[in-house]
Amino acid sequence: MKINIYSTLTKQKEELRSINKNKILMYSCGPTVYYFAHIGNLRAYLFMDSLRRVLKYNGYKLKHVMNITDVGHLVSDADEGEDKMMKAARLENKDPFAIADFYTKAFMEDMGKLNIDLPEIIARATEHIECMEDYVKQIIKNGYTYQTENTIYFDTSKLDKYGVLSNKNVKEDDTEARIDVDPNKKHLNDFALWIKAPENHLMKWDSFFGKSYPGWHLECSAMGHKYLGEEFDIHTGGIDHIPIHHENEIAQGKGFCGKNPAHYWMHVEFLQVDGKKMSKSLMNLYTLEDLKQKGYEPLVYKMFNFSSHYRKKINFTFQAMDSAKIALTRLREGYTKHLNGTEDIEEDKIKDYEEKFLTAINDDLNMPVAMSVVWDVIKNPIKSKKLAKLILKFDEVLGFDLKNYDPQEEKIPEDIVKLLEIRKKARENKDWAKSDELRDIIISKGYNIKDTKEGMEIKKI
Ligand code: AMP
Ligand code: ZN
């Protein structure tokens, strides 16, 4: 069955036609590892997860690369501000490489908690400095750059058109927009490819440009080329990457070999809080750990995301998270009921569900419609193992790890067990205030307590 995906390049849904038969070459812009990923960032990787799973469900093999940005991403996506890694290193008083290691590990843990199907290749920028050097040398050789005292710039005026994704007008003489910009930069949209490191700059390498470091946009072009070639099928990222980062990746590809690297460019919309993008700078963020503290397991956040299409903004509220939590419980319980069912169901009905599900996911990953099919299966009054098997099949796309779900194994985590012990002692000492305080903490972590004659009864909320 054909898969339609929306490409920002053509601004329409297009039928996916892969370069290789049965194999998709794909690149996703990964995290800048200077802090914990917030759940807005994680929406981008949940989208990536759904896309991977939908492609696999349709029988494709994948070669998918995701970068880890551990150098060169300035506070602004353009060439202004401090390097995010260096800023974090200064604030935490740590070596920037140690910062990168710590937050890369934290990011990978988050991926695991959300049961995200990981790209085949995860590439760290700092391990590809030579690869970036080779790439930039070719762009220089092809005549697409100019050099100022401290920077090698990409000269966007050398392209037929700069801004193919966002259809920007090149405002070369917009003096207002040029405030704070390097006066030696020739055109407003020109961007840094390689930068000379000031004395106190910690992340720098000996290269053709002296002690220096690469510009942020370069890593995706160089690593994409190294692992996927001059042209690949799909490139993904958040919508904030459209106007600068991805325009610059396309510019670099054109400068390197005359080609836009990806045939389809896919972008995921923002997670918002009170109508504003969730972001570190607005300080309106939550991490998976924050959600856990409030009693929501990570997969509830995945369920929350399925309530909206990836190209639509979604507003984060705890009310919506409560609904998602109920939905996840319903899904697990409904699956278990079918698993224990003994009735039979006609093959035609199963085929009908399968077709509807496939139509939804192949229509530009329409997960809300796909979920409505899942609910129809769950609600079917015929309780049949065949329907449980079907739900498991759908879960290859959803990724709720139902095949490993065991209702008997709803284990109480160790931190809760410890809190229960402390509360038990408090009650033995008749310290009711402490007992109540601990009960509230335990509830906030997602467990209900009932005090009975026999002791405490604990149940997941
Ligand atoms: P960064 O680590 O800042 O490079 O961002 C990682 C990814 O998260 C990028 O693809 C961003 O586009 C995406 N992103 C950042 N904020 C949000 C948000 N509020 N909602 C959805 N995606 C986001
Ligand atoms: Zn990128």
Side-chain angles (χ1 to χ4, degrees), residues 43 239 269-272 275 277 308-315:
R43 184 178 193 205
I239 52 153
E269 252 291 356
F270 285 146
L271 174 78
Q272 298 193 323
K277 175 190 173 191
S308 166
H309 189 265
Y310 79 87
R311 282 194 289 116
K312 289 213 169 91
K313 290 186 180 68
I314 183 168
N315 205 40

Side-chain angles (χ1 to χ4, degrees), residues 258-452:
K259 291 176 184 160
N260 176 336
H263 290 181
Y264 306 89
W265 288 81
M266 296 179 78
H267 294 97
V268 50
E269 252 291 356
F270 285 146
L271 174 78
Q272 298 193 323
V273 186
D274 299 330
K276 292 199 184 84
K277 175 190 173 191
M278 180 175 285
S279 70
K280 192 160 186 276
S281 52
L282 291 177
M283 298 209 294
N284 59 358
L285 59 83
Y286 295 100
T287 60
L288 282 187
E289 184 56 32
D290 295 331
L291 295 189
K292 189 178 153 204
Q293 295 297 328
K294 290 184 184 293
Y296 304 98
E297 63 173 297
L299 290 180
V300 171
Y301 181 60
K302 188 176 226 181
M303 180 65 89
F304 163 84
N305 272 273
F306 289 158
S307 63
S308 166
H309 189 265
Y310 79 87
R311 282 194 289 116
K312 289 213 169 91
K313 290 186 180 68
I314 183 168
N315 205 40
F316 180 80
T317 63
F318 285 106
Q319 210 179 356
M321 283 293 285
D322 287 337
S323 305
K325 191 170 176 174
I326 293 167
L328 183 59
T329 306
R330 256 180 70 203
L331 176 69
R332 286 169 172 163
E333 287 179 356
Y335 164 67
T336 310
K337 275 187 193 150
H338 281 308
L339 196 62
N340 296 332
T342 51
E343 293 172 90
D344 201 9
I345 185 155
E346 326 89 85
E347 288 303 321
D348 279 359
K349 188 69 200 160
I350 292 185
K351 257 200 200 122
D352 180 50
Y353 285 138
E354 271 182 323
E355 260 172 45
K356 284 185 177 139
F357 185 81
L358 189 63
T359 304
I361 59 172
N362 284 3
D363 178 18
D364 194 30
L365 274 60
N366 198 333
M367 299 311 289
V369 173
M371 280 311 295
S372 72
V373 181
V374 174
W375 296 129
D376 283 348
V377 180
I378 292 284
K379 280 189 298 199
N380 194 317
I382 298 174
K383 299 301 165 202
S384 163
K385 289 193 174 35
K386 285 185 182 168
L387 291 178
K389 198 170 155 205
L390 182 66
I391 295 168
L392 270 195
K393 186 171 176 195
F394 292 167
D395 197 40
E396 287 169 23
V397 172
L398 309 174
F400 285 116
D401 199 22
L402 286 173
K403 69 174 182 305
N404 291 317
Y405 174 67
D406 180 353
Q408 309 303 323
E409 262 190 29
E410 286 265 279
K411 272 213 325 223
I412 312 286
E414 233 167 78
D415 58 329
I416 303 285
V417 173
K418 276 199 189 120
L419 288 170
L420 286 171
E421 277 166 16
I422 302 171
R423 184 168 182 269
K424 192 166 163 242
K425 285 217 176 88
R427 291 179 71 76
E428 282 163 8
N429 296 332
K430 301 200 176 348
D431 186 348
W432 308 121
K434 190 163 184 195
S435 161
D436 286 351
E437 190 191 324
L438 285 161
R439 186 197 54 209
D440 291 346
I441 295 174
I442 292 167
I443 291 174
S444 76
K445 287 177 179 279
Y447 288 84
N448 251 339
I449 296 191
K450 210 166 132 195
D451 294 305
T452 64

Side-chain angles (χ1 to χ4, degrees), residues 27-30 67 69 216-217 219-221 235-237 241 245-246 249 265:
Y27 189 96
S28 293
C29 288
N67 61 303
T69 299
W216 169 46
H217 314 293
E219 65 184 83
C220 293
S221 292
H235 197 310
T236 79
H241 286 160
H245 182 51
H246 287 171
E249 271 191 54
W265 288 81

